[in-house]
Amino acid sequence: MTTRSDIIAALPLDFAATVDPVRAAPSAARATPNQPIARRRRLHKKPALRNRGRAAHWTYDTSIPPTRRDQLQVRRWRRAAPPSDSADTSPAASKFAKYDIKAEVPAYDDETYAQHLTHPDWTKDETDRLFATYEDCYGKWPVIADHYVADSHKTMEEMKSRFYSISATLLNLQTPMTAMTASEYSAYDVLKSFDPLKEASRKKLAEGHLRRPRNEVDEETVLLSELQRIMLHQNTLDSEREDLRRRLQHPVADQNGYQYSTSQALTTLWQQLLAADRMKKTQRLRPLDISGARPSQSGAAANLPGADTTTSATPQTAQQSVVDMSKQDLQRFGVMVVQAGQEKLPTGISFASDKLSKPRVAKSSLQTDKIAATLTHIGVPELIPLPTLAVVEQFERIMAKMQVLLDLRKVAEKEEQELRVRGAEMGV
Amino acid sequence: MASAALAPTQAPKDEYAGDEINALVLDPGSYTTRAGFAGEDTPKSVVPTHYGVLASGEHVYGENAIHLPRGDMELVNAYGADGLVEDWDTAAKLWEYSITSRLTGARQTPPSRNGLNDTKDGNGDVNMDESMEQLQEEQDRALAEYPLLMSEPGWNPQKAREKTIEIAMEEWGVPAFFLAKNGQLAAYANGKATALVVDVGHHNTSVTALWEGMVLRKSLMKSPLAGSFLNAQIRQMFSTLQPPAPLIPHYMVKSKAPVDAGAPSNAIYTRFATPPKESFRKLEEDRVLTSFKESVVQCWQGPGRLENNMDSVKYAPPRPFEMPDGWNQVFGVERYKVAEGFFDARSAYPLPPDSDLEAPKGEDTIPSLIHRSLNACDVDTRAHLLANVILTGAGSLIEKLPERLQADLQSLYPNPRVRVIASSNSVERKYGAWIGGSVLGSLGTFHQMWVSREEYKEYGPGIVEKRCK
């Protein structure tokens, strides 16, 4: 008779080695059931369909949902709680108890009704039924209007108006208006301000809205968004205008209030301050030495060119070692040499013709036309035949000036517009 | 106010609301009866509502029994044409069968009572009488173990509802019971609390508006343009073909040989000593029509009606269909035309004078049903409802029906956004109401709603009207 060890011995060596740990793992798990099984790293992935770990334990127990008044016993499957965590031992159903909600309905008795709540269109019976329906339908008005059965037909607005007015009256009876808190008063105010007629006309409009053709609605949406944009723009324009006027209409200074308007007065002030300063221990002000100040300024100005020559000399010698070309060649090939103090060249390649044509195009075509007109006026041709370095530089200078001009013109136009508006306002 | 806490279409996400209470869900229909445990995704037991009455007066239920061609069996349905139960005794038996046949068998007797551990008498026998009796009793009360959630058509009258709870409580002895409307449940199955549910069944198509989980009763509309109407249309189409198509059910055919399209069939038919009854043949013919509906019939997907789009339909590739006896033909325009009656009553095939169905009326088409239903709702709800139109029911499983409904509704209501939600999974459409019941029955929040035995004893059957609305 062959035993297991015989079979294993007959098998190749590595098989025997792989069998044993697999068999050993469950027995280890059995010995300490609550300990997590330390997993060894495996070379091969486990097959996906294998059951890992122990099966969860479930119990089938009987309990009574705590929200029920009767003794309905329901049996539910529950995951048996592991012994370690005792936090989750509350009955399973109690976590749903908070969903057992009721609609809040104001209550009234016969006496209050007779005294305060009578209405020519509503009988007591109808009112009672309305309140019962409200509670049954959890205060959802479309459902209430659907479920309410009355002897005479009532619209939803009539029901709402009746319900709200009664609620408001009861609220007022409970706490007089003078004693209400802010939230109570706002609730009271909302209840009071319900207008059934307005509501009915709104619904009529809404009904018509359902049937409007699609393109009409689309057009309206577009127009509305346009209007919104205009209004938004209007706001910034208004605030700018306000700002401008505030600046222009500053209160004219009172002559007496500003006494140091002339240079003579200023000098007197200076002398006064200097005299006051002399009294102090640490003097902060120094008397003006007019004769000494002048030469120092002119000296600095005289020094400048000298400093310039010394600093610019060194880069030039360095450059000559990098670009080994004569001056004519540099000009001919359009090589630009960046000096230390100058701004850097833009990286990448750009064509000289691009540099001539791009600035002519502005964002708006109106602006582009203006630029073109100005350029023809000052005699810059549409097409510059030979865009050498010097030409490009000159053109860029012109364009920069042009930009300034255009900006100025924009500002001027705006101001003129403002003036016209103001004039119109004054005229009115 | 409850409505303020939650937007109508939004579900609280942070909490798993399930509870593992085993409840039974029963969704009886006029064509099939669906039953299963709450919390599962499909009904385990689907039983045809037709049952066989044998010559001996015995009733047989279930798929296996009623599709057996036998001469002494008459097929009957406990439901009337309006989708309501007419024969309560049989309906109750059938419902019970649908549950007990698959879901609740006899339970294993505990070891203390199974006789194996009892002391044996001289012959080695144990006294079995007592335990057998108990077993029998337990089988009779198999339904007494689980709460039962049942569905009902929205137009179910109060009498029928009371009768239903009476059967459940008195005959079956269920510990708790609840009755929910079909439309409501189908919306829950789609995860919507506010929806307009269009349920295309076998006998009836119904429209139910639902607002925040509650049915708007005045919005309930139904029409007979449903699955059986489509069957009648197809029959009529077959008979108007030149030559008429033979509608031979499977059980009649013994063997067949292939024939060309449109050629007479070349088949040997089964001879019965006592041929099955006419009702049996009709049901079997309907099964052939079902396969025709599944494979050939298609709705014109819109926009516009079929009659205005004949050209594009004519150039669509026709589809072939082979009858059980081998007769086959390709169907071009016809396959669109039979379903057009759902949307345009005038272009439906005129029904033969001896038909038990009425000619379709313009107000019965699905778009006008929805229109009527919406008119009965408050204006403010309409846009929400149109954005959540749920199409469900096995009758709605016609190709392109959702697209057509969407197109028709959008042209009816051009301004609001119309969205027809139809699950592309046919099981979810077929068993929509049952799945909704399964969802509802497994909710932890639902258990406060059950009508328990104690409450039933205290208030009588009238409680169903008060509690289940």
Side-chain angles (χ1 to χ4, degrees):
Chain A
M1 200 159 177
T2 51
T3 62
R4 183 173 171 270
S5 54
D6 290 338
I7 297 171
I8 290 174
L11 287 168
L13 257 178
D14 53 271
F15 177 79
T18 50
V19 165
D20 269 346
V22 177
R23 287 187 58 83
S27 64
R30 240 176 271 135
T32 50
N34 284 333
Q35 295 296 312
I37 302 164
R39 294 185 184 282
R40 262 161 291 160
R41 250 178 63 187
R42 283 163 196 277
L43 286 174
H44 304 288
K45 260 185 123 178
K46 265 188 167 180
L49 278 176
R50 204 151 114 199
N51 190 12
R52 296 166 194 205
R54 292 177 308 135
H57 192 60
W58 289 72
T59 54
Y60 193 44
D61 55 4
T62 306
S63 67
I64 302 162
T67 48
R68 293 195 69 93
R69 286 163 298 281
D70 55 353
Q71 296 295 304
L72 170 66
Q73 306 225 331
V74 286
R75 294 206 278 172
R76 56 162 60 78
W77 282 105
R78 288 188 62 192
R79 184 92 180 255
S84 54
D85 86 83
S86 54
D88 191 34
T89 47
S90 58
S94 64
K95 66 181 172 190
F96 300 115
K98 63 180 170 185
Y99 293 110
D100 192 11
I101 38 174
K102 296 259 179 300
E104 270 177 48
V105 188
Y108 54 85
D109 48 22
D110 291 350
E111 197 185 324
T112 334
Y113 185 86
Q115 258 181 0
H116 300 279
L117 305 172
T118 48
H119 191 278
D121 293 349
W122 290 79
T123 63
K124 170 100 174 22
D125 185 41
E126 281 175 332
T127 313
D128 288 349
R129 224 176 310 142
L130 173 67
F131 274 64
T133 316
Y134 183 89
E135 191 175 4
D136 278 351
C137 301
Y138 303 96
K140 302 176 202 293
W141 279 107
V143 188
I144 296 166
D146 185 75
H147 285 203
Y148 184 70
V149 264
D151 312 323
S152 56
H153 179 71
K154 296 262 191 298
T155 64
M156 197 210 267
E157 285 71 47
E158 283 165 348
M159 289 183 216
K160 270 187 179 174
S161 147
R162 176 74 175 145
F163 185 84
Y164 290 154
S165 70
I166 288 182
S167 304
T169 317
L170 288 174
L171 198 66
N172 197 12
L173 285 176
Q174 214 169 29
T175 40
M177 210 193 291
T178 46
M180 278 184 196
T181 62
S183 65
E184 274 174 337
Y185 184 74
S186 69
Y188 177 77
D189 201 39
V190 166
L191 288 173
K192 266 286 180 213
S193 59
F194 181 77
D195 182 1
L197 291 177
K198 206 196 260 177
E199 188 70 4
S201 71
R202 182 188 70 79
K203 285 205 171 153
K204 212 168 202 172
L205 280 178
E207 191 159 1
H209 196 59
L210 286 177
R211 305 212 155 259
R212 296 180 57 197
R214 188 85 223 175
N215 50 2
E216 205 176 284
V217 175
D218 284 349
E219 194 185 333
E220 193 187 279
T221 321
V222 170
L223 285 177
L224 270 176
S225 65
E226 185 75 5
L227 183 66
Q228 197 180 11
R229 199 182 61 78
I230 291 171
M231 291 308 287
L232 222 80
H233 193 67
Q234 184 70 33
N235 273 346
T236 54
L237 198 73
D238 279 353
S239 68
E240 268 175 22
R241 178 173 295 165
E242 194 63 29
D243 187 48
L244 185 71
R245 286 189 184 169
R246 212 154 19 81
R247 278 160 194 266
L248 291 175
Q249 290 184 337
H250 67 86
V252 180
D254 197 2
Q255 285 297 321
N256 298 340
Y258 193 67
Q259 22 182 320
Y260 312 111
S261 52
T262 59
S263 86
Q264 210 169 13
L266 277 174
T267 321
T268 335
L269 177 67
W270 170 248
Q271 294 300 339
Q272 279 173 8
L273 285 175
L274 202 64
D277 196 51
R278 281 209 184 104
M279 296 299 162
K280 287 177 188 162
K281 263 186 211 162
T282 51
Q283 294 176 6
R284 286 185 302 161
L285 295 174
R286 259 184 306 151
L288 281 175
D289 188 2
I290 297 166
S291 59
R294 295 270 171 189
S296 75
Q297 268 177 6
S298 63
N303 275 349
L304 270 173
D308 201 35
T309 46
T310 46
T311 46
S312 62
T314 33
Q316 259 171 13
T317 48
Q319 280 153 17
Q320 265 158 10
S321 64
V322 175
V323 188
D324 191 16
M325 280 183 187
S326 70
K327 211 169 183 186
Q328 281 86 358
D329 283 349
L330 281 177
Q331 218 159 33
R332 192 179 148 210
F333 295 114
V335 177
M336 271 175 80
V337 177
V338 182
Q339 294 174 357
Q342 281 178 338
E343 57 188 297
K344 276 184 185 165
L345 280 179
T347 53
I349 300 167
S350 61
F351 290 103
S353 55
D354 268 0
K355 284 191 174 179
L356 290 181
S357 63
K358 265 193 187 152
R360 291 168 188 256
V361 184
K363 265 181 201 157
S364 72
S365 59
L366 209 69
Q367 194 81 339
T368 313
D369 288 349
K370 273 183 196 166
I371 291 173
T374 323
L375 283 177
T376 41
H377 182 74
I378 59 173
V380 177
E382 189 98 342
L383 200 73
I384 298 171
L386 194 64
T388 60
L389 202 63
V391 173
V392 170
E393 265 176 19
Q394 195 62 36
F395 180 76
E396 274 172 357
R397 226 169 290 146
I398 292 175
M399 281 316 289
K401 280 180 185 164
M402 173 100 77
Q403 290 299 338
V404 173
L405 267 178
L406 285 172
D407 283 350
L408 277 175
R409 181 170 170 180
K410 210 192 275 176
V411 172
E413 266 171 8
K414 200 172 174 192
E415 296 304 304
E416 261 170 40
Q417 174 71 18
E418 285 300 310
L419 272 177
R420 236 175 290 140
V421 169
R422 188 68 178 156
E425 274 179 11
M426 298 297 268
V428 169
Chain B
M1 216 179 277
S3 58
L6 219 64
T9 53
Q10 202 181 3
K13 283 210 178 76
D14 51 344
E15 198 157 346
Y16 166 64
D19 196 356
E20 311 295 334
I21 288 185
N22 278 10
L24 285 168
V25 180
L26 178 64
D27 176 25
S30 56
Y31 194 69
T32 56
T33 301
R34 285 78 63 178
F37 282 107
E40 293 178 3
D41 57 357
T42 42
K44 273 212 173 96
S45 160
V46 180
V47 175
T49 307
H50 286 88
Y51 62 93
V53 180
L54 303 183
S56 60
E58 193 195 339
H59 291 182
V60 289
Y61 307 106
E63 203 91 49
N64 290 338
I66 67 165
H67 294 310
L68 202 64
R70 45 199 289 182
D72 60 343
M73 186 173 70
E74 189 77 57
L75 281 183
V76 194
N77 195 321
Y79 279 78
D82 53 356
L84 297 177
V85 178
E86 282 181 350
D87 178 2
W88 279 97
D89 294 338
T90 324
K93 291 254 170 52
L94 184 77
W95 295 344
E96 195 177 341
Y97 171 82
S98 72
I99 295 173
T100 50
S101 65
R102 288 278 175 87
L103 304 171
T104 59
R107 278 211 291 158
Q108 202 179 359
T109 4
S112 60
R113 282 194 284 123
N114 66 1
L116 293 175
N117 304 315
D118 291 359
T119 48
K120 299 178 175 65
D121 60 10
N123 301 328
D125 289 336
V126 288
N127 185 14
M128 292 288 284
D129 300 342
E130 199 186 318
S131 55
M132 279 308 281
E133 255 171 38
Q134 267 179 347
L135 194 70
Q136 194 57 43
E137 202 174 285
E138 217 165 77
Q139 271 174 353
D140 283 348
R141 312 283 288 173
L143 284 162
E145 193 176 349
Y146 306 105
L148 176 70
L149 171 64
M150 265 183 81
S151 74
E152 57 164 358
W155 56 93
N156 213 12
Q158 187 181 348
K159 234 177 201 166
R161 310 181 80 202
E162 288 179 0
K163 182 81 188 162
T164 315
I165 192 172
E166 230 175 276
I167 289 171
M169 287 290 179
E170 311 268 338
E171 279 185 36
W172 300 342
V174 297
F177 181 79
F178 196 79
L179 201 57
K181 293 196 183 348
N182 271 334
Q184 204 175 7
L185 294 181
Y188 295 160
N190 284 281
K192 298 273 179 195
T194 297
L196 189 73
V197 181
V198 183
D199 186 350
V200 187
H202 184 64
H203 280 313
N204 286 289
T205 294
S206 66
V207 175
T208 318
L210 204 69
W211 184 257
E212 294 183 357
M214 301 183 81
V215 173
L216 302 179
R217 286 185 205 142
K218 285 174 190 148
S219 74
L220 245 156
M221 298 287 159
K222 70 179 175 96
S223 89
L225 302 191
S228 65
F229 162 77
L230 185 56
N231 281 356
Q233 289 283 300
I234 299 171
R235 278 172 201 272
Q236 195 59 24
M237 185 266 283
F238 282 159
S239 64
T240 51
L241 285 180
Q242 284 306 328
L247 185 53
I248 311 286
H250 280 282
Y251 76 95
M252 303 268 286
V253 182
K254 199 171 185 184
S255 70
K256 63 176 178 183
V259 291
D260 286 339
S265 61
N266 177 14
I268 302 165
Y269 299 108
T270 322
R271 300 231 168 271
F272 295 96
T274 47
K277 297 264 172 40
E278 193 54 36
S279 58
F280 179 80
R281 182 182 169 124
K282 185 158 185 305
L283 184 72
E284 296 302 312
E285 282 177 359
D286 278 356
R287 293 177 86 197
V288 177
L289 295 180
T290 303
S291 66
F292 185 79
K293 284 195 273 190
E294 281 169 353
S295 55
V296 177
V297 175
Q298 184 179 347
C299 275
W300 164 245
Q301 77 266 30
R305 293 189 159 164
L306 177 65
E307 57 188 8
N308 306 329
N309 293 286
M310 274 306 194
D311 288 343
S312 44
V313 165
K314 267 182 191 140
Y315 293 114
R319 282 197 195 160
F321 185 76
E322 186 183 307
M323 289 288 179
D325 64 349
W327 180 93
N328 64 87
Q329 185 58 281
V330 290
F331 295 88
V333 181
E334 296 89 355
R335 73 192 183 96
Y336 292 92
K337 238 191 131 187
V338 285
E340 187 63 11
F342 283 137
F343 296 94
D344 182 8
R346 278 179 302 115
S347 56
Y349 281 92
L351 292 170
D354 60 325
S355 165
D356 49 353
L357 287 169
E358 285 177 41
K361 292 189 282 283
E363 62 185 42
D364 282 344
T365 60
I366 299 177
S368 66
L369 266 191
I370 293 177
H371 180 64
R372 282 195 288 153
S373 174
L374 283 177
N375 275 351
C377 298
D378 187 56
V379 182
D380 291 342
T381 64
R382 289 182 200 166
H384 289 284
L385 294 175
L386 278 170
N388 295 293
V389 179
I390 292 174
L391 187 63
T392 183
S396 74
L397 289 167
I398 302 296
E399 203 180 333
K400 301 280 185 216
L401 189 79
E403 285 86 348
R404 175 67 186 277
L405 188 60
Q406 166 99 35
D408 273 22
L409 284 182
Q410 193 70 74
S411 65
L412 200 59
Y413 294 95
N415 184 16
R417 189 175 66 108
V418 176
R419 192 159 66 115
V420 175
I421 303 162
S423 170
S424 57
N425 183 349
S426 68
V427 171
E428 278 172 27
R429 290 255 282 281
K430 253 174 155 168
Y431 305 131
W434 186 90
I435 293 170
S438 168
V439 169
L440 185 66
S442 61
L443 283 183
T445 45
F446 176 65
H447 299 308
Q448 62 216 14
M449 313 263 292
W450 290 113
V451 179
S452 70
R453 278 193 77 73
E454 283 76 20
E455 284 170 310
Y456 175 77
K457 275 181 196 150
E458 197 178 334
Y459 300 102
I463 192 171
V464 75
E465 205 58 25
K466 199 169 161 292
R467 291 283 292 279
C468 313
K469 45 186 157 201

